[in-house]
């Protein structure tokens, strides 16, 4: 929800801005997801909430958290490679989505596929 709603205008409603930050904080407290590194209900998808909050607020903490999730997602990817010995090609449930997330972490941007760019 944070990833999609962070596109709404900033500063119009301070309680909405606080709600987005609280959503990011809840995501941080919950930690990386066990499902895997992918965008669809995975660590990369949740990490985008931090990237969106960084772009929205300029607060370095959110970028740092996104990058911490990215490092965890890389470990999840490596474990999946060891277990299954194959790549996963889909954007949403595969390694391609993780690659997009990692790129955005390096570039300090938040261009979530299909929501922000097609």
């Amino acid at each position: 929800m944070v990833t999609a709603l962070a596109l709404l205008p900033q500063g119009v409603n301070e309680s909405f801005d606080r709600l987005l930050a609280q959503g990011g904080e809840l995501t941080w407290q919950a930690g990386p997801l066990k499902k895997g590194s992918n965008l669809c209900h995975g660590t990369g998808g949740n990490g985008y909430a931090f990237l969106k909050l960084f772009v929205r607020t300029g607060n370095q903490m959110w970028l740092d958290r996104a990058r911490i999730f990215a490092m965890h997602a890389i470990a999840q990817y490596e474990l999946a490679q060891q277990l299954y010995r194959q790549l996963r090609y889909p954007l949403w449930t595969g390694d391609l989505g993780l690659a997009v997330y990692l790129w955005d972490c390096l570039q300090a941007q938040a261009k979530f596929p299909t929501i922000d760019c097609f």
Side-chain angles (χ1 to χ4, degrees), residues 32-39 42-45 68-102:
L33 296 174
K34 292 181 182 180
K35 181 182 176 203
S37 63
N38 51 343
L39 294 180
T43 300
I68 290 168
F69 263 47
M71 296 306 295
H72 188 85
I74 290 170
Q76 288 175 314
Y77 162 82
E78 290 172 342
L79 179 60
Q81 292 305 303
Q82 290 174 355
L83 291 174
Y84 305 115
R85 305 220 183 270
Q86 65 182 20
L87 295 173
R88 297 175 304 159
Y89 298 103
L91 173 65
W92 295 106
T93 59
D95 305 325
L96 180 58
L98 173 60
V100 172
Y101 173 62
L102 296 176

Side-chain angles (χ1 to χ4, degrees), residues 12 19 40 71 84 95 115:
V12 174
L19 185 62
C40 183
M71 296 306 295
Y84 305 115
D95 305 325
I115 292 176

Side-chain angles (χ1 to χ4, degrees), residues 10 53-62:
Q10 185 176 354
L53 288 167
F54 168 70
V55 169
R56 186 177 177 93
T57 67
N59 185 337
Q60 182 69 34
M61 175 191 73
W62 296 118

Side-chain angles (χ1 to χ4, degrees), residues 2 15 28 35 84 89 109:
V2 172
S15 63
W28 176 253
K35 181 182 176 203
Y84 305 115
Y89 298 103
Q109 64 186 14

